[in-house]
Amino acid sequence: MTGPEKIMKSKPIVIAGGFGGATTSTSVAAVADALGALGYRVRLGDADIHNPTLSKMVAATPLDPEKDDVRKFVSGGFAEDITIIDAPLCCAKLIAANLESVPDIDLVGALTINEPTYTHEGACELIEAFADRARFIIFANGRDSEGGKFNPADLPEFLPILALAKGRVITIPRWTPRMSQQFNKTNGAPADYIPGGRFAGNSFDAAAWRHHRNQVIASTAGVAEWLFQPRQ
């Protein structure tokens, strides 16, 4: 059996949320890409109807939380191993209320943070919305970090949510200035910039993107077994 077949016991529904500008969409795209590289089948939903950034980067199903689309999206059976939904904080409580009527789903709250310390407040809002029903993980995105790799453990504002997530963190490393320029022009996922990707070519820094992608894959692999274990 393959690695995923050995350890999979649950099909988690991941609700990823953070303040606007907290790089939730790029985090979701990077983690989904990493899970795919690890052999998992991933389906994506974009519940940010006012700024559907994720849908511009990858194939994601548009979801309108006010029309109960999220509940319908996660109800019933589906072939994929994991569902990740990019959800705006303004709709977190509405989504949580709608999902109350869906039995037997394994909810995971992905607390998306980056170096501006105010993003911990967005994480707290997601925790408040799903605290009674979800387990939690952190997407720590250092895409725009000034000081190199972003480590939330270095900043006291993030320590309470690190404790809640029991140190489970997927790290998305800092982008180089050239990577940022490329992304701003094309809005791609990490795999799009390496050989075989839709934006690969001589004008793109494939080596930097490959290194970045491999780091996200390694970080994701470190929590994959926990991710596919059902909530106790």
Side-chain angles (χ1 to χ4, degrees), residues 71-200:
R71 182 190 63 80
K72 296 173 184 175
F73 189 59
V74 304
S75 298
F78 45 88
E80 293 83 1
D81 303 317
I82 183 170
T83 298
I84 308 178
I85 297 172
D86 184 352
L89 281 179
C90 62
C91 294
K93 290 184 179 180
L94 175 61
I95 292 171
N98 288 340
L99 294 183
E100 285 292 335
S101 63
V102 185
D104 303 322
I105 58 172
D106 179 20
L107 283 175
V108 177
L111 312 172
T112 308
I113 58 174
N114 58 7
E115 195 160 22
T117 53
Y118 70 80
T119 58
H120 86 280
E121 298 173 11
C124 291
E125 288 189 29
L126 195 71
I127 292 167
E128 182 181 354
F130 290 95
D132 294 335
R133 196 155 179 215
R135 50 202 176 108
F136 294 95
I137 192 170
I138 292 172
F139 290 173
N141 195 315
R143 187 188 77 178
D144 301 317
S145 297
E146 294 291 336
K149 186 176 180 180
F150 168 48
N151 183 359
D154 294 337
L155 299 167
E157 291 88 349
F158 292 121
L159 295 182
I161 64 171
L162 276 170
L164 179 68
K166 299 180 180 179
R168 289 181 289 263
V169 179
I170 295 178
T171 301
I172 295 89
R174 180 176 180 267
W175 286 359
T176 66
R178 182 168 169 77
M179 291 168 70
S180 294
Q181 291 173 2
Q182 293 166 358
F183 174 79
N184 290 336
K185 290 179 180 178
T186 53
N187 289 308
D192 290 329
Y193 301 105
I194 62 176
R198 58 181 174 145
F199 299 128

Side-chain angles (χ1 to χ4, degrees), residues 205-223:
D205 191 352
W209 281 106
R210 185 184 298 110
H211 179 67
H212 180 276
R213 183 175 185 246
N214 287 342
Q215 288 182 291
V216 180
I217 292 170
S219 183
T220 304
V223 298

Side-chain angles (χ1 to χ4, degrees), residues 15-114:
I15 308 295
F19 273 147
T23 59
T24 302
S25 297
T26 54
S27 297
V28 169
V31 173
D33 175 64
L35 286 166
L38 291 168
Y40 297 97
R41 297 168 298 173
V42 184
R43 69 174 187 156
L44 297 172
D46 190 347
D48 193 344
I49 59 172
H50 300 296
N51 185 27
T53 307
L54 183 65
S55 299
K56 298 174 184 176
M57 299 169 60
V58 294
T61 300
L63 303 171
D64 186 344
E66 295 183 359
K67 295 182 178 178
D68 203 19
D69 286 354
V70 176
R71 182 190 63 80
K72 296 173 184 175
F73 189 59
V74 304
S75 298
F78 45 88
E80 293 83 1
D81 303 317
I82 183 170
T83 298
I84 308 178
I85 297 172
D86 184 352
L89 281 179
C90 62
C91 294
K93 290 184 179 180
L94 175 61
I95 292 171
N98 288 340
L99 294 183
E100 285 292 335
S101 63
V102 185
D104 303 322
I105 58 172
D106 179 20
L107 283 175
V108 177
L111 312 172
T112 308
I113 58 174
N114 58 7

